[in-house]
């Protein structure tokens, strides 16, 4: 029988309650010589339980304790079955545990974990301890109360003052004028209040911020472009290390290599590289961060020709959890480099990237043809053949969108759904004209925007429509094809779009250069899919949140039956070990756990699709 090792964290508010909880509730024996440890047997397994007394820790640290007694406990529980874990958790809840949280079950040996003593609450502010995506209604229901609400870090004033002395960048605290601007992230759904936002100006500041955060036991959110859809780059009560003051790109046109500072945006890289007729394949909205996009994947209009963004990554400089600056590439720390390409936010703060560039443009051919939704079946049938036969230079997409009255759509489709095909051709303009011709000639499109334009223009075209502050939800998967049943499912979901927002389905062609890279080369999981498929909704009125999120969830039910293994981590909003396993698959997940134990055993970088050490 496989031994399952599970860590459960239980928060208890005060000493008197703690004793009652441990003794009467869980039946623990407290060892008089080592009062911080207790042991007990339950659920057919054995455990050791470690208690951490806040008052003692506070006195050591010279911080006022406010008499809060015990603040947290964790225990390692070795049990033979899942049922036994459930039994322990149920007992703990019944005994009055405030938080029961299950960490990764693991097939091997002793699994070390402890929750360190926490500072007492500051104004009752919540601190989310793990990337729980509270704002995503799909987060698995937690047992007992959520971890948030239990603990908050009070920042020690003298430590803050010392930190400021050695920090060159901006520091924003809740009482500062710039705080609301500093805490904002792209998705208007996410409204969190960090205890402190810092903007390093370079590696020295990143090191200082990390050291300060660890000393103060602040939950750390790392931010570059701030586009994380579930809001991983911010937090309540912790620290945001925001690299947006660390933008900058240096292109070496001879070597066709770009060195990109950690806080740069896609537009920075495109702009600098295009000055030399070069480009790195990146995403389709220029204000997205290079860091988050690359470390999870990086899909975009050049992907069939040149692969994902992470396929063009040559090296990274990373500040690791233990406060070192480490270089990782195929030759140096290759294991870390492997994990960085697909699960990167788990392993450190990237301060610099080195990318391979390719000749692109400056003029390319790009655009979309639109048809009435009634013709969706024929358009899809045509598109299936078209995309199969198109060269690597031609990236294309198919989808169903809403022709909103306020936008410039032809009257035939305005006010309802329409179907579209489109793409970008990065080959010669003559070749592009030939390759686009069948798409443009098919049927009688109600609109055709295909034209030659600068690559940079295409790359900036979505910036305004996808500007900061809108409310946004999406779900995605990879599919092996675009069968009629899938298209029909999407169409029937379009009949149910809620009013007041914009809802769509998109299918981006994948394969080719992506598929030519062996799947084991990087942590990125899915290379052989024909399409990346998404259901997306954007709206502005918070009163419409539920309707739109429900639409996205039900939209995804049209896609799910056709998905293949693996998910695009940058789109995933739900949390939990099962979710992360579903992203990477079991084998890669286990390898990532080993890597996490080597590089971040304390799970300092946990606001991401978290690989629990
Ligand atoms: C409008 C929009 C358009 C998008 N278009 C595309 C697209 O075309 N193609 C595509 O593949 N994806 C796309 N995405 C998804 C995008 O790749 C992810 O949202 C990505 O995480 C954004 O990166 P960021 O740096 O802007 O985000 P952030 O919110 O700053 O960070 C995202 C994650 O990365 C971590 N992180 C950030 N900086 C660092 C760093 N320097 N070191 C280590 N970890 C770090 C954060 O902690 C967080 O977990 C889009 C998203 C949006 C909102």
């Amino acid at each position: 029988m496989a031994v399952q090792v599970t860590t459960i964290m239980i928060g208890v508010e005060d000493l008197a309650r703690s004793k009652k909880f441990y003794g009467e509730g869980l039946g623990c024996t407290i060892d008089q010589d080592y009062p911080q440890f207790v042991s007990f047997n339950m659920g057919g397994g054995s455990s050791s339980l470690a208690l951490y007394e806040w008052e003692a820790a506070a006195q050591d640290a010279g911080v006022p304790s406010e008499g809060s007694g015990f603040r947290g406990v964790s225990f390692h529980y070795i049990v033979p079955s899942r049922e036994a874990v459930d039994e322990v958790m149920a007992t703990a809840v019944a005994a009055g545990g405030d938080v029961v949280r299950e960490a990764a079950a693991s097939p091997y040996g002793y699994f070390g974990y402890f929750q360190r003593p926490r500072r007492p609450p500051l104004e009752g502010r919540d601190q989310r301890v793990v990337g729980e995506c509270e704002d995503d209604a799909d987060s698995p229901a937690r047992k007992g109360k959520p971890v948030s609400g239990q603990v908050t870090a009070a920042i020690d004033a003298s430590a803050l003052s010392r930190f400021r002395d050695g920090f060159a960048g901006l520091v924003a605290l809740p009482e500062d004028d710039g705080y609301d601007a500093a805490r904002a992230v792209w998705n208007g759904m996410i409204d969190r209040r960090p205890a402190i936002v810092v903007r390093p100006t370079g590696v020295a500041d990143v090191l200082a911020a990390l050291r300060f955060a660890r000393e103060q036991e602040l939950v750390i959110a790392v931010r570059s472009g701030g586009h994380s859809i579930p809001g991983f780059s911010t937090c309540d009560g912790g620290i945001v290390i925001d690299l947006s003051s660390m933008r900058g790109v240096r292109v070496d046109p001879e070597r066709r290599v770009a060195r990109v500072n950690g806080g740069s945006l896609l537009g920075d890289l495109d702009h600098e590289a295009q000055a030399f007729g070069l480009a790195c394949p990146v995403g389709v909205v220029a204000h997205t961060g290079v860091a988050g996009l690359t470390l999870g994947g990086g899909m975009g209009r050049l992907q069939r020709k040149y692969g994902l963004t992470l396929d063009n990554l040559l090296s990274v400089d990373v500040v690791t959890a233990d406060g070192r600056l480490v270089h990782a590439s195929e030759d140096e720390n290759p294991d870390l480099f492997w994990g960085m390409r697909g699960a990167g936010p788990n392993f450190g703060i990237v301060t610099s990237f080195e990318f391979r560039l390719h000749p692109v443009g400056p003029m390319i051919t790009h655009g979309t043809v639109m048809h009435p939704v009634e013709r969706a079946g024929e358009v899809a049938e045509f598109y299936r053949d078209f995309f199969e036969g198109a060269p690597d230079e031609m990236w294309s997409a198919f989808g169903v969108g809403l022709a909103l009255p306020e936008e410039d759509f032809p009257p035939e489709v305005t006010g309802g759904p329409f179907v579209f095909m489109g793409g970008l051709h990065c080959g010669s303009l003559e070749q592009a004209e030939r390759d686009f011709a069948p798409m443009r000639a098919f049927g009688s499109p109600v609109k055709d925007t295909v034209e030659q334009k600068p690559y940079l223009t295409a790359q900036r075209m979505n910036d305004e429509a996808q500007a900061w502050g809108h409310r946004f939800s999406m779900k995605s998967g990879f599919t092996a094809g675009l069968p009629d049943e899938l298209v029909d499912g999407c169409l029937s979901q379009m009949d149910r779009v809620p009013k007041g927002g914009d809802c769509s389905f998109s299918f981006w062609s994948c394969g080719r250069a992506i598929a030519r890279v062996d799947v084991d080369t990087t942590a990125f999981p899915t290379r052989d899919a024909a399409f990346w498929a998404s259901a997306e909704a954007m709206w502005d009125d918070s009163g419409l949140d539920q309707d739109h999120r429900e639409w996205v969830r039900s939209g995804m039910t049209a896609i799910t039956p056709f998905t293949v293994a693996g998910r695009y981590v940058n789109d995933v909003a739900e949390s939990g070990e099962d979710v992360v396993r579903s992203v990477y698959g079991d084998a890669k997940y286990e390898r990532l756990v080993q890597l996490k134990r080597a590089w971040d055993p304390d799970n300092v970088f946990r606001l991401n699709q978290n690989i629990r050490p």
Side-chain angles (χ1 to χ4, degrees), residues 185-187 220-234 243 262-266 282-285 287-295 297-300 309 340 344-346 348-351 353 466-467 472 474 508 538 568 570-571 607-609:
V185 289
W186 177 85
N187 190 349
I220 298 170
V222 180
R223 177 180 142 187
S224 285
H227 278 47
S228 163
I229 293 154
F232 283 136
S233 49
T234 184
L243 273 65
S264 304
L265 305 182
L266 305 188
V282 292
V284 301
V285 175
H287 45 72
T288 310
V290 169
L293 177 119
T294 305
L295 298 174
M299 293 192 290
T309 311
M340 275 289 164
N346 272 281
I349 305 175
V350 177
T351 55
F353 298 83
Q466 309 252 327
F472 186 76
M474 74 175 290
W508 287 16
M538 185 177 267
Y568 183 29
N570 281 357
D571 299 337
L607 291 180
N608 42 49
Q609 280 304 343

Side-chain angles (χ1 to χ4, degrees), residues 26-113:
L26 294 181
C28 302
T29 313
I30 299 184
D31 185 327
Q32 293 308 318
D33 291 328
Y34 300 97
Q36 70 273 40
F37 290 104
V38 297
S39 61
F40 69 103
N41 289 302
M42 191 162 51
S46 65
S47 77
S48 69
L49 182 74
L51 312 182
Y52 299 96
E53 194 174 3
W54 157 249
E55 302 220 28
Q59 277 159 18
D60 286 346
V63 179
S65 73
E66 299 179 11
S68 60
F70 286 117
R71 292 300 310 166
V73 59
S74 73
F75 60 84
H76 314 289
Y77 197 63
I78 302 174
V79 289
S81 69
R82 170 78 226 182
E83 287 70 30
V85 174
D86 289 340
E87 186 191 327
V88 173
M89 292 173 74
T91 309
V93 172
D98 283 317
V99 180
V100 175
R101 184 171 186 84
E102 187 184 343
S106 156
Y108 22 75
Y110 186 77
F111 179 65
Y113 185 95

Side-chain angles (χ1 to χ4, degrees), residues 559-570:
I559 297 173
T560 302
F562 302 93
T563 53
V564 295
R567 297 172 71 184
Y568 183 29
V569 69
N570 281 357

Side-chain angles (χ1 to χ4, degrees), residues 9 47 166 549:
M9 289 164 37
S47 77
R549 291 161 89 175

Side-chain angles (χ1 to χ4, degrees), residues 50 66 85 94 106 139 143 147 210 216 220 223 247 275 282 296 301 306-307 314 409 423 477 480 506 530 542 585 611:
E66 299 179 11
V85 174
S106 156
S139 292
K143 307 205 178 195
V147 173
L210 180 66
Q216 293 296 307
I220 298 170
R223 177 180 142 187
R247 288 167 65 178
V282 292
R301 299 176 174 121
Y306 298 121
L314 298 172
F409 285 103
S506 300
S542 61
I611 312 286

Side-chain angles (χ1 to χ4, degrees), residues 446-467:
V446 291
K447 191 165 179 177
D448 176 348
T449 67
V450 176
E451 61 180 1
Q452 297 171 0
K453 61 186 73 147
Y455 176 67
L456 282 180
T457 303
Q459 285 292 89
R460 292 172 184 153
M461 281 180 75
N462 292 336
D463 287 8
E464 206 181 312
Q466 309 252 327

